Amino acid sequence: MDQPRVMPAPRTRRTRAEQKRETRDALIEAGLVVFSRDGYHGAALDGIANEAGFSKGAVYSNFSSKAELFLAVLDYNLGALRGEGWDPLASATTAAVGAPGTTGGDEREAEQLVRGFGLATLEFITTAARDDMLIPALRTRVQMLLDAYGRVAATHRAAEEDLAVDKVAQLMAALDQGASVLALSGVATVDGSLMRSGLRRLLGLPADAVDERSADRAGRASLLPTVEQVQRLIRDEPGDLDT
């Protein structure tokens, strides 16, 4: 007796919008790699397209210029600040230190890419600050940093603090971004413990105070990607660029 044939499950076809989103995400990931490797000025759109496995036309169907693509990469890096749960005061012992299965080689490569993208970001900032068309977009991204620190300052600042919340937030962001510049220059590296101590001092908190509510919400506000973000790209793991 013939056995009934088992028909394979029908393949779900991706919508046009889904395909466009996947292409855009792939270009953003490739942009992070190429900008990190070649710098903002040295990167070419056809090189980014090749890195992502597309034609140069795919870039222009998603981004009007190299600057717009770079801003999209910045948005990916800033994604963690869009929610309410980010808090830089969490203890180092409770913050996530890396994804499982990460190798030392991956971490070293990720650190190199983070540093390379930091240098590319400095290039972009000096370019955008002189371009009337790009200044508003740059200010929007920087304001995201200030808003994130403003939420932290409003929650944790001492009751007797005289400075307005937005001023405290500016000082916190300046400390954070200044630490990044020190690291990029190779002069010094501000580790997480020292950074938290500095931020607490700006908030008028004891240097060793730890808010237990922050234990699972640690992170830095930065225009730069985190090592964990880059490691995920190196391992080619699927991820939502908007998270």
Side-chain angles (χ1 to χ4, degrees):
M1 181 176 180
D2 293 338
Q3 295 293 325
R5 295 181 61 188
V6 177
M7 301 298 293
R11 296 179 61 184
T12 302
R13 296 187 61 182
R14 292 171 299 169
T15 66
R16 197 170 176 82
E18 289 172 337
Q19 292 176 1
K20 185 175 179 65
R21 172 61 182 272
E22 289 178 6
T23 299
R24 178 182 172 86
D25 286 354
L27 290 169
I28 292 174
E29 294 180 358
L32 191 155
V33 172
V34 175
F35 286 129
S36 300
R37 184 186 66 214
D38 300 337
Y40 177 71
H41 294 303
L45 289 180
D46 53 353
I48 294 173
N50 289 337
E51 180 75 24
F54 297 110
S55 67
K56 189 175 180 178
V59 179
Y60 281 113
S61 67
N62 286 275
F63 306 98
S64 63
S65 64
K66 182 166 70 172
E68 185 177 329
L69 174 53
F70 194 88
L71 288 167
V73 179
L74 289 183
D75 288 342
Y76 164 55
N77 300 337
L78 290 166
L81 304 185
R82 293 176 181 145
E84 296 294 329
W86 175 82
D87 194 324
L89 303 182
S91 169
T93 59
T94 55
V97 295
T102 297
T103 67
D106 283 349
E107 185 172 359
R108 285 191 296 273
E109 184 178 353
E111 289 173 350
Q112 290 174 352
L113 287 175
V114 169
R115 184 177 189 278
F117 191 79
L119 295 172
T121 300
L122 293 180
E123 290 182 65
F124 177 78
I125 289 173
T126 57
T127 298
R130 293 185 174 94
D131 188 326
D132 290 341
M133 299 295 292
L134 291 176
I135 286 174
L138 178 61
R139 287 177 176 169
T140 296
R141 274 69 183 182
V142 174
Q143 189 62 50
M144 286 183 64
L145 297 179
L146 297 177
D147 290 345
Y149 273 118
R151 291 194 296 270
V152 175
T155 301
H156 298 288
R157 68 200 291 261
E160 64 274 14
E161 175 60 66
D162 294 331
L163 282 177
V165 167
D166 63 326
K167 300 301 182 184
V168 175
Q170 290 173 23
L171 291 173
M172 295 175 75
L175 173 61
D176 194 343
Q177 300 309 299
S180 296
V181 172
L182 285 178
L184 291 173
S185 68
V187 173
T189 298
V190 179
D191 63 22
S193 177
L194 180 57
M195 175 64 68
R196 283 186 296 277
S197 293
L199 293 175
R200 289 176 186 135
R201 287 175 182 271
L202 288 173
L203 291 168
L205 300 174
D208 59 350
V210 176
D211 186 346
E212 295 301 331
R213 296 170 301 170
S214 306
D216 61 349
R217 300 183 310 230
R220 286 192 63 203
S222 182
L223 295 171
L224 310 184
T226 64
V227 171
E228 288 76 17
Q229 284 174 316
V230 176
Q231 284 173 332
R232 188 174 67 224
L233 301 187
I234 293 173
R235 295 194 304 272
D236 292 325
E237 292 183 1
D240 187 347
L241 294 182
D242 281 347
T243 59

